[in-house]
Amino acid sequence: MLIFTVHGTNAADLSDDGEQWWQKGSEFQKKLQSRISEPLHFFPFHWSGNNSEFERRGAALELLKHFETVENEGIPYGAIAHSHGGNVIADALRFSQIEFPAGGVSFDSEVKTKEPNLQNLHFWFTVGTPFINPIRSFFLLRMS
């Protein structure tokens, strides 16, 4: 099973390997593997970690690309996040159900929904995620 790990705010590090929970070889990942008989393959997802809704949404679109790549390969996967990394995952899942207009989204765009297409996503969970929602609704609603 492939597991995407998504760090939170101010926790960015360019290295895949390290001691932070989301990096390969971390104590968290060793303990998780010791409790699950199936081999786990971790994919640390890198984003800026800036405390910015704009940054999190951009990271979500990038994470969704990774999800779609794995989907196309038929690989089962999951995602684990901390802090605002959970918002990155939540936005990626939300974006997976939106059919974006070819020219991008604007205030007069008609945003259409589509059926979820992440059939190989087996789980996702977050710890300490401050789910904040005031702007998301505004972003997804069609303005008239």
Side-chain angles (χ1 to χ4, degrees):
M1 162 103 28
L2 176 64
I3 300 177
F4 289 91
T5 54
V6 185
H7 64 77
T9 302
N10 298 322
D13 186 326
L14 295 178
S15 177
D16 282 352
D17 301 301
E19 296 181 8
Q20 294 189 52
W21 76 267
W22 56 273
Q23 292 175 308
K24 292 179 182 178
S26 70
E27 191 64 26
F28 168 79
Q29 292 182 7
K30 289 175 187 174
K31 285 186 178 182
L32 185 60
Q33 181 62 78
S34 74
R35 288 167 170 76
I36 298 175
S37 59
E38 177 182 354
L40 302 176
H41 305 281
F42 294 95
F43 182 96
F45 176 73
H46 298 278
W47 66 287
S48 74
N50 292 340
N51 191 9
S52 158
E53 189 72 18
F54 180 79
E55 292 287 327
R56 289 189 291 273
R57 287 198 184 138
L61 290 170
E62 288 301 311
L63 181 60
L64 180 56
K65 289 178 188 176
H66 290 291
F67 285 177
E68 290 170 342
T69 297
V70 172
E71 280 292 329
N72 291 335
E73 295 174 7
I75 298 171
Y77 63 101
I80 302 172
H82 174 252
S83 183
H84 276 304
N87 284 307
V88 171
I89 292 175
D91 281 343
L93 297 176
R94 193 173 290 111
F95 293 157
S96 75
Q97 297 180 36
I98 297 173
E99 190 174 315
F100 289 98
V105 177
S106 66
F107 287 114
D108 60 350
S109 298
E110 182 177 344
V111 178
K112 298 178 184 177
T113 59
K114 62 182 181 180
E115 291 297 315
N117 60 350
L118 303 178
Q119 304 304 315
N120 293 314
L121 177 63
H122 288 233
F123 69 87
W124 68 282
F125 67 86
T126 71
V127 176
T129 297
F131 290 109
I132 303 170
N133 199 4
I135 298 176
R136 281 193 185 91
S137 298
F138 179 76
F139 176 74
L140 296 177
L141 291 176
R142 181 168 187 239
M143 304 300 292
S144 38

